[in-house]
């Protein structure tokens, strides 16, 4: 595929580590079909740049120095539902994974992912698919199954209708 900036996936990189941002910018600068439109190292920067640059995909870390990538995702998706958010993080805890899903993220990958897998994942997310790193899938599904197992009292009543819909879709 030739480098065509008009049809390239517009990518915003959000991570608090400058060296990682530089590496990702280099990777996507050399890959066909991508245009890195900007980067940010904070939650505030992510919100500002997502509004200003209108990226197709935001590649975001969960933990940022001034807040949470999860909160940033929620705000970006509320303001620009057409912008897709893919998390790339070192933190694989179940709460982070579920938090990203409930915030409207389109995917969750661990930083151990290969460059080819990351490129494919961003293309998939930009195309409307969802991505969940295999390393976090089993624990999250086990937690969801346990949460949806019938008990004497239904714990899903504590969730909003939207959270119940998202939970049902994730369980599928």
């Amino acid at each position: 595929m030739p480098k065509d900036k008009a049809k390239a996936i517009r990518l915003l990189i959000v991570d608090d580590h400058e060296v990682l941002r530089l590496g990702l910018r280099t990777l996507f600068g050399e890959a066909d079909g991508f245009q890195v439109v900007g980067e940010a190292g904070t939650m505030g920067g992510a919100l500002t740049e997502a509004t200003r640059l209108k990226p197709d995909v935001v590649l975001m870390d969960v933990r940022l120095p001034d807040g949470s990538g999860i909160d940033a995702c929620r705000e970006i998706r509320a303001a620009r539902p057409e912008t897709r958010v893919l998390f790339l993080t070192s933190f694989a805890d179940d709460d982070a994974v579920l938090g990203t899903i409930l915030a409207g993220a389109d995917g969750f990958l661990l930083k151990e992912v290969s460059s080819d897998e990351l490129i494919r994942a961003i293309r998939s997310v930009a195309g409307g698919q969802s991505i969940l790193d295999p390393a976090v899938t089993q624990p999250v599904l086990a937690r969801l199954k346990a949460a949806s197992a019938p008990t004497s009292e239904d714990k899903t009543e504590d969730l909003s209708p939207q959270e119940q819909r998202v939970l049902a879709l994730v369980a599928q």
Side-chain angles (χ1 to χ4, degrees), residues 1 10 31 49 63 65 71 84 119 121 138 145 161:
M1 177 186 341
R10 295 172 47 81
E49 293 300 277
R63 295 186 184 166
D71 292 337
R84 315 284 290 177
I119 288 169
Q138 276 309 111
K145 287 177 185 173

Side-chain angles (χ1 to χ4, degrees), residues 129-167:
Q129 297 177 339
S130 297
I131 301 291
L132 189 58
D133 194 301
V136 300
T137 302
Q138 276 309 111
V140 169
L141 289 178
R143 185 169 172 184
L144 289 172
K145 287 177 185 173
S148 65
T151 62
S152 58
E153 56 184 74
D154 187 0
K155 300 288 185 196
T156 61
E157 290 176 359
D158 294 338
L159 300 176
S160 72
Q162 176 64 17
E163 290 171 331
Q164 289 178 21
R165 285 190 293 276
V166 169
L167 183 63

Side-chain angles (χ1 to χ4, degrees), residues 1-5 7-11 25-36 116 119-120 122-123:
M1 177 186 341
K3 287 191 178 193
D4 183 355
K5 294 297 182 188
K7 296 183 182 186
I9 297 168
R10 295 172 47 81
L11 184 65
R25 180 179 281 279
T26 301
L27 171 68
F28 291 106
E30 294 175 356
D32 286 340
F34 292 93
Q35 178 186 9
V36 177
D116 288 341
I119 288 169
R120 277 193 302 274
I122 291 179
R123 284 187 175 130

Side-chain angles (χ1 to χ4, degrees), residues 40-151:
T42 63
M43 178 181 159
L47 297 174
T48 299
E49 293 300 277
T51 300
R52 184 175 74 83
L53 299 170
K54 299 174 179 38
D56 299 315
V57 177
V58 177
L59 185 60
M60 173 119 47
D61 195 1
V62 170
R63 295 186 184 166
L64 299 169
D66 62 339
S68 161
I70 295 169
D71 292 337
C73 173
R74 189 176 295 111
E75 289 190 41
I76 290 168
R77 294 293 302 213
R80 289 191 41 81
E82 63 276 17
T83 296
R84 315 284 290 177
V85 179
L86 174 62
F87 279 90
L88 179 66
T89 187
S90 300
F91 306 102
D93 64 274
D94 297 351
D95 289 336
V97 177
L98 288 173
T100 63
I101 293 167
L102 292 173
D106 301 288
F108 188 99
L109 294 173
L110 295 176
K111 286 183 178 172
E112 290 83 23
V113 69
S114 74
S115 57
D116 288 341
E117 291 170 325
L118 181 58
I119 288 169
R120 277 193 302 274
I122 291 179
R123 284 187 175 130
S124 295
V125 164
Q129 297 177 339
S130 297
I131 301 291
L132 189 58
D133 194 301
V136 300
T137 302
Q138 276 309 111
V140 169
L141 289 178
R143 185 169 172 184
L144 289 172
K145 287 177 185 173
S148 65
T151 62

